[in-house]
């Protein structure tokens, strides 16, 4: 069974390569579907496969940029990428990430960085999950009210409508983003990008987890466009991260390529699956992924506070993340297969009628 | 023994203080771990890759950030080609929230 293992030239370890392909496939599916890099899922996975932590982070970020490129290509063909909005946001995100990482350096000198980062992460995930589920509840309420009144809601109507208030702030220049159907001050996406970048830099994550809900709830993008535009941003910030980590010598390109083999297929499946799922269903699954991620961070916090239970909580957190990746990717794969089968059947019926 | 007066350093005094601060703060980076790839275990492309890593992290970075998007485009196009064989519409989607 030696052929199942490959010796990686930079990390210097023998790794089970099908594990890398499966990891790439799973995260490709989830990333393409939710519009995020998935650093919080891949890093522990690589660590389990034997990568030292710094190499796990570096290799993960490098793979993330390649995978996001594949998803962005596919989303662009569906018309889900707002390049104008994405480009403006990338500038703000990079500035924010740089400032956030400086805050981390300052906290590191104080010796309390890990704790602050984990608490910050916990607060952020709780807020995101609360916003997502509140929005879903409000949308359901609106639908019920409309049904009772005998009306039908607009296809793009949402539950939470903070973006409408924010779009009324007319500080020049006011820009129209035709792909998203949003007209707002340029400073709204820039400000949001700086803020999300700051949080991403502080928490050491790619930013997709924060940027996707920010695009929906604060800028007012439709869910599908938020997913595609966010992936465009992740692709560029990921490439920047890959350059930084490569220069520090913590990226193994052979592992990246092996992971990309799985991610190329996964990203296509995840992206095409968004075609068959309504925007609010994507929001609900995203909220569930955030809750799972939050529980895993909570387990890590408990382990840090009570060293006696640390081995148990660490293993539980890893099992939870891997379980979440497997179940979510399986669920999206099933949606994809069902959607493809239905579309093909409909096409055949159309042809039969002609 | 004649000791130089501090004032005789003039503007160089604060500069020396700044430099000493810099030198002292550089002590930690001198202890940084240098990771070297063992290129003796490899042949062909992987040996070249390991040697590039050992020779220059700058060129290693340059090749990495050129290769990743290139691999992404090639693999993405291949997967796209396979996907187009499924017989589904890959050019449009309906935008609906609920």
């Amino acid at each position: 069974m030696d052929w199942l293992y490959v010796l990686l030239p930079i990390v210097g370890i023998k790794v089970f390569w099908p594990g890398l392909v499966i990891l790439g496939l799973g995260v490709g599916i989830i990333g393409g579907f939710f519009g995020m890099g998935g650093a919080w899922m891949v890093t522990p996975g690589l660590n389990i496969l034997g990568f030292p932590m710094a190499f796990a982070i570096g290799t993960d970020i490098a793979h993330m940029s390649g995978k996001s490129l594949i998803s962005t290509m596919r989303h662009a063909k569906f018309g889900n990428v707002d390049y104008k909005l994405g480009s403006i946001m990338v500038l703000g995100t990079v500035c924010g990430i740089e400032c956030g990482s400086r805050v981390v350096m300052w906290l590191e000198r104080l010796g309390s960085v890990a704790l602050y980062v984990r608490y910050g992460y916990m607060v952020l995930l709780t807020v995101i999950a609360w916003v997502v589920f509140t929005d879903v509840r409000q949308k359901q309420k609106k639908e019920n009210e409309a049904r009772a009144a005998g009306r039908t809601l607009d296809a793009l109507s949402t539950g939470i409508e903070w973006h409408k208030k924010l779009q009324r702030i007319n500080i020049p220049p006011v820009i129209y983003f035709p792909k998203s159907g949003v007209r707002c001050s340029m400073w709204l996406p820039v400000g949001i990008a700086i803020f999300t970048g700051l949080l991403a830099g502080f928490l050491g994550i790619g930013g997709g987890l924060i940027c996707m809900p920010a695009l929906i709830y604060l800028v007012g993008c439709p869910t599908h466009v938020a997913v595609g535009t966010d992936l465009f941003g992740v692709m560029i910030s990921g490439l920047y991260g890959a350059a930084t980590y490569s220069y520090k010598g913590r990226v193994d390109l052979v592992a990246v390529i092996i992971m990309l083999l799985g991610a190329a297929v996964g990203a296509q499946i995840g992206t095409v699956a968004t075609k068959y799922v309504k925007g609010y269903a994507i929001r609900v699954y995203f909220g569930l992924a955030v809750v799972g991620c939050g529980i895993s961070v909570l387990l890590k916090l408990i382990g840090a506070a009570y060293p006696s239970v640390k081995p148990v909580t660490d293993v539980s957190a890893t099992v939870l993340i891997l379980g979440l990746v497997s179940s979510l990717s399986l669920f999206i794969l099933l949606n994809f297969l069902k959607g493809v089968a239905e579309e093909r059947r409909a096409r055949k019926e159309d042809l039969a009628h002609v | 023994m004649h000791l130089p007066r501090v004032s005789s350093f003039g503007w160089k005094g604060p500069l020396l203080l700044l430099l000493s601060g810099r030198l002292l703060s550089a002590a930690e980076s001198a202890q940084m771990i240098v990771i070297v790839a063992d290129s003796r275990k490899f042949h062909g492309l992987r040996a070249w890759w390991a040697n590039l890593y050992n020779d220059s992290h700058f060129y290693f970075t340059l090749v990495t950030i050129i290769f990743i998007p290139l691999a992404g485009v090639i693999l993405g196009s291949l997967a796209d080609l396979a996907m187009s064989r499924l017989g589904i519409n890959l050019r449009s989607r309906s935008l609906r929230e609920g």
Side-chain angles (χ1 to χ4, degrees):
Chain A
M1 297 298 259
D2 209 37
W3 62 276
L4 286 174
Y5 290 84
V6 63
L7 181 62
L8 298 172
I10 309 300
V11 194
I13 56 162
K14 256 192 171 183
V15 72
F16 180 64
W17 65 263
L20 288 176
V21 176
I22 292 166
L23 196 62
L25 179 82
V27 180
I29 292 176
I30 293 171
F33 190 78
F34 292 126
M36 54 187 180
W40 55 280
M41 298 178 270
V42 181
T43 308
L46 287 177
N47 203 222
I48 288 168
L49 287 170
F51 281 65
M53 201 38 120
F55 276 101
I57 296 169
T59 306
D60 170 23
I61 290 180
H63 139 269
M64 194 167 80
S65 63
K67 184 204 72 190
S68 302
L69 174 84
I70 298 165
S71 300
T72 306
M73 279 164 64
R74 167 51 51 216
H75 271 291
K77 284 178 186 164
F78 281 139
N80 290 347
V81 184
D82 192 329
Y83 288 109
K84 197 170 161 187
L85 179 63
S87 306
I88 288 175
M89 289 197 77
V90 159
L91 292 173
T93 309
V94 171
C95 294
I97 285 177
E98 203 54 49
C99 295
S101 59
R102 276 166 202 267
V103 173
V104 169
M105 296 298 167
W106 175 70
L107 284 172
E108 199 173 50
R109 281 199 290 275
L110 295 178
S112 47
V113 63
L115 199 68
Y116 279 112
V117 167
R118 280 198 183 133
Y119 278 129
Y121 210 3
M122 204 56 227
V123 170
L124 178 81
L125 293 172
T126 310
V127 170
I128 293 175
W130 177 79
V131 169
V132 170
F133 291 115
T134 304
D135 171 46
V136 171
R137 211 177 53 239
Q138 286 192 9
K139 167 87 174 171
Q140 275 175 343
K141 200 175 151 194
K142 277 184 186 177
E143 274 177 346
N144 291 341
E145 281 170 2
R147 207 174 296 131
R151 290 181 287 116
T152 47
L153 276 180
D154 179 56
L156 294 178
S157 74
T158 53
I160 287 178
E161 293 185 331
W162 296 337
H163 60 276
K164 286 189 178 168
K165 281 180 190 160
L166 290 169
Q167 282 170 11
R168 271 185 228 130
I169 305 168
N170 286 324
I171 303 168
V174 174
I175 302 178
Y176 179 59
F177 301 100
K179 266 276 157 44
S180 310
V182 171
R183 182 186 292 278
C184 65
S185 164
M186 187 192 82
W187 301 108
L188 174 64
V190 168
I192 290 167
I194 291 174
F195 179 67
T196 53
L198 195 74
L199 280 173
F202 174 67
L203 301 172
I205 55 175
L209 192 70
I210 312 169
C211 202
M212 201 279 242
L215 278 169
I216 293 175
Y217 297 114
L218 304 179
V219 179
C221 281
T223 311
H224 294 80
V225 179
V227 170
T229 307
D230 183 34
L231 278 165
F232 171 70
V234 171
M235 175 187 85
I236 294 175
S237 57
L239 208 58
Y240 172 77
T244 318
Y245 274 94
S246 298
Y247 196 68
K248 287 171 186 134
R250 300 298 191 274
V251 173
D252 198 301
L253 195 62
V254 176
V256 172
I257 302 297
I258 297 171
M259 283 175 79
L260 278 179
L261 288 172
V265 179
Q268 291 276 346
I269 292 172
T271 308
V272 176
T274 60
K275 192 172 131 85
Y276 305 116
V277 181
K278 287 176 189 169
Y280 261 81
I282 298 176
R283 293 187 195 196
V284 171
Y285 302 138
F286 178 79
L288 291 174
V290 168
V291 169
C293 181
I295 294 170
S296 79
V297 177
L298 187 69
L299 285 168
K300 291 257 178 192
L301 273 171
I302 294 169
Y306 304 100
S308 57
V309 292
K310 197 175 182 298
V312 181
T313 52
D314 277 2
V315 170
S316 310
T318 311
V319 169
L320 181 73
I321 285 183
L322 293 182
L324 199 68
V325 172
S326 317
S327 48
L328 273 175
S329 41
L330 195 70
F331 178 75
I332 298 165
L333 182 70
L334 289 174
N335 264 305
F336 165 79
L337 293 173
K338 197 176 142 208
V340 169
E342 276 173 11
E343 192 179 333
R344 286 180 66 166
R345 199 181 310 126
R347 272 193 158 195
K348 268 184 192 166
E349 279 171 13
D350 283 350
L351 283 172
H353 287 301
V354 173
Chain B
M1 200 178 137
H2 178 72
L3 290 170
R5 281 187 299 140
V6 175
S7 59
S8 68
F9 282 104
W11 60 272
K12 293 168 202 150
L15 188 72
L16 276 173
L17 274 172
L18 270 173
L19 275 175
S20 61
R22 276 278 181 208
L23 289 169
L24 282 173
S25 62
E28 204 162 303
S29 54
Q31 293 165 2
M32 273 170 66
I33 306 159
V34 177
I35 303 170
V36 178
D38 190 357
S39 57
R40 293 168 303 179
K41 293 177 185 170
F42 303 100
H43 300 284
L45 210 61
R46 279 194 292 169
W48 171 79
W49 187 240
N51 282 324
L52 184 70
Y53 178 84
N54 293 336
D55 291 344
S56 163
H57 276 195
F58 175 73
Y59 287 114
F60 175 78
T61 305
L62 210 63
V63 177
T64 303
I65 57 166
I66 291 171
F67 200 81
I68 290 171
L70 197 71
V73 169
I74 295 168
L75 292 171
S77 304
L78 286 172
D80 210 30
L81 202 72
M83 199 61 82
S84 64
R85 303 247 165 193
L86 288 178
I88 54 169
N89 181 1
L90 291 170
R91 292 273 160 197
S92 66
R93 50 91 184 94
S94 60
L95 207 62
R96 57 207 172 124
E97 292 290 4

